[in-house]
């Protein structure tokens, strides 16, 4: 397991590369759905490669995300080696916890009324796969005529609940994104 840091420039390059992987499979989305927050950033970046696509954002946040914000101010002060160790340790601990499926997610009418035939759901990373599985499944129910595919920058575990259709990293690579709490200025 390794940790890769993406500053703003490297993040934009990674998003372009992900869009090229999608386009290389001859999938041109009419609608790009970003999962807030990280997926929204990815979606906005890859829209540059799909100029005719529309953007929508859905939200489904893991409970652990709120707890992390309690120590966010301290993290950038730590040495990078310690931050990498902490990320790897957190990832291993999360892999031991049982995965709780979310079930159906309410898909906003602004998405369903578009009647898009090709929908790309994007997120920054898949850890357990709970969030992506819930949103992709709900979109498939809400938009049965659409072809729904998923894309992420990285898949951090070996057996997520859902495997994305497109990913840059599938080798347990942990990414420090520009918005990550432990990103150094």
């Amino acid at each position: 397991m390794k940790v890769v840091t993406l500053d703003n420039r490297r993040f934009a390059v990674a998003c372009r590369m992900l869009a090229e992987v999608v386009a290389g499979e001859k999938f041109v989305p009419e609608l790009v759905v970003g999962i807030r927050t990280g997926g929204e950033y990815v979606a906005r970046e890859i829209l540059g490669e799909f100029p005719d696509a529309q953007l929508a954002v859905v939200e489904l946040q893991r409970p652990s995300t709120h707890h992390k914000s309690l120590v966010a101010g301290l993290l950038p002060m730590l040495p990078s080696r310690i931050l990498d160790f902490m990320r790897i340790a957190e990832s291993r601990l999360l892999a031991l916890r049982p995965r709780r499926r979310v079930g159906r997610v309410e898909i906003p009418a602004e998405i369903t009324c578009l009647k898009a035939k090709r929908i790309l759901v994007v997120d920054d990373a898949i850890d357990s796969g709970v969030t992506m599985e819930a949103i992709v499944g709900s979109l498939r129910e809400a938009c049965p005529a659409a072809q729904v595919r998923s894309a992420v920058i990285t898949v951090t575990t070996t057996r997520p609940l859902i495997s994305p259709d497109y990913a840059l990293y599938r080798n347990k690579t942990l990414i420090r994104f520009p918005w990550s709490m432990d990103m150094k200025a």
Side-chain angles (χ1 to χ4, degrees):
M1 186 170 287
K2 65 181 177 177
V3 179
V4 172
T5 299
L6 298 180
D7 58 16
N8 286 321
R9 185 186 62 74
R10 287 187 176 113
F11 171 68
V13 169
C15 290
R16 252 191 324 279
M17 290 170 59
L18 181 60
E20 288 170 5
V21 170
V22 173
E25 295 287 322
K26 307 291 188 243
F27 187 78
V28 180
E30 296 173 336
L31 176 64
V32 177
V33 177
I35 301 174
R36 185 163 285 140
T37 299
E40 181 178 0
Y41 298 139
V42 176
R44 290 186 187 285
E45 282 290 333
I46 69 170
L47 274 179
E49 303 298 317
F50 302 110
D52 295 331
Q54 294 187 37
L55 172 68
V57 178
V58 294
E59 185 167 0
L60 181 60
Q61 196 172 49
R62 297 181 310 231
S64 65
T65 302
H66 168 71
H67 301 299
K68 289 180 187 178
S69 64
L70 299 174
V71 295
L74 303 174
L75 292 176
M77 292 186 260
L78 296 173
S80 295
R81 263 190 15 237
I82 301 294
L83 293 173
D84 290 353
F85 174 81
M86 289 172 64
R87 275 186 172 259
I88 292 168
E90 177 191 33
S91 177
R92 288 182 178 155
L93 286 172
L94 288 174
L96 297 174
R97 291 191 342 197
R99 299 173 188 158
R100 293 190 174 93
R101 287 189 152 92
V102 174
R104 193 172 189 286
V105 175
E106 190 63 37
I107 301 299
E110 67 186 44
I111 292 175
T112 57
C113 73
L114 292 174
K115 307 260 189 255
K117 297 286 187 235
R118 291 176 309 283
I119 301 172
L120 182 65
V121 181
V122 297
D123 206 354
D124 52 353
I126 286 183
D127 299 316
S128 67
V130 169
T131 302
M132 183 66 80
E133 179 193 52
I135 290 175
V136 166
S138 296
L139 271 168
R140 286 181 175 148
E141 274 183 38
C143 307
Q147 187 177 14
V148 179
R149 294 193 184 170
S150 57
V152 298
I153 302 291
T154 187
V155 180
T156 65
T157 58
T158 54
R159 294 180 299 133
L161 291 176
I162 186 172
S163 182
D165 297 293
Y166 313 104
L168 285 185
Y169 298 95
R170 291 184 189 267
N171 56 358
K172 300 193 300 181
T173 298
L174 304 174
I175 306 265
R176 182 175 294 111
F177 291 99
W179 59 88
S180 297
M181 287 182 258
D182 62 344
M183 177 59 101
K184 292 181 175 286

